[in-house]
Amino acid sequence: MTDYELIVGLMDGRTIAVPLAWFPRLLNASPEQRSHWELAGAGYGIHWPDLDEDLSTEGLLRGARAPRGSATWRPGMA
């Protein structure tokens, strides 16, 4: 992870990079909070316990952003 991207290495060797701007909880978190993550769903997702944030590998592959109306979405986001 960088200050601007979430970078995920998949078991099949692919790498996914998505903008942190898609996930405001991650974007607004401290580096320490972002670095405290764990695998979820038998390795098909990522969970940040300090942030109550969960992302699925499937969603990252689809390019899914935080859904409108969710706790991570704010007005003005695409």
Side-chain angles (χ1 to χ4, degrees):
M1 186 175 313
T2 71
D3 288 340
Y4 305 100
E5 289 184 307
L6 171 63
I7 302 168
V8 179
L10 302 179
M11 293 173 58
D12 64 6
R14 291 180 288 170
T15 302
I16 304 169
V18 296
L20 283 181
W22 289 5
F23 309 102
R25 284 186 187 172
L26 293 176
L27 179 65
N28 295 317
S30 70
E32 293 78 23
Q33 289 172 312
R34 287 194 294 241
S35 69
H36 182 214
W37 58 271
E38 47 196 46
L39 288 177
Y44 290 97
I46 308 166
H47 174 66
W48 286 266
D50 297 341
L51 305 171
D52 192 28
E53 182 73 286
D54 296 282
L55 301 178
S56 71
T57 304
E58 180 182 335
L60 293 173
L61 286 167
R62 283 193 331 256
R65 300 174 185 218
R68 293 188 102 149
S70 76
T72 60
W73 182 85
R74 289 192 305 243
M77 293 182 61

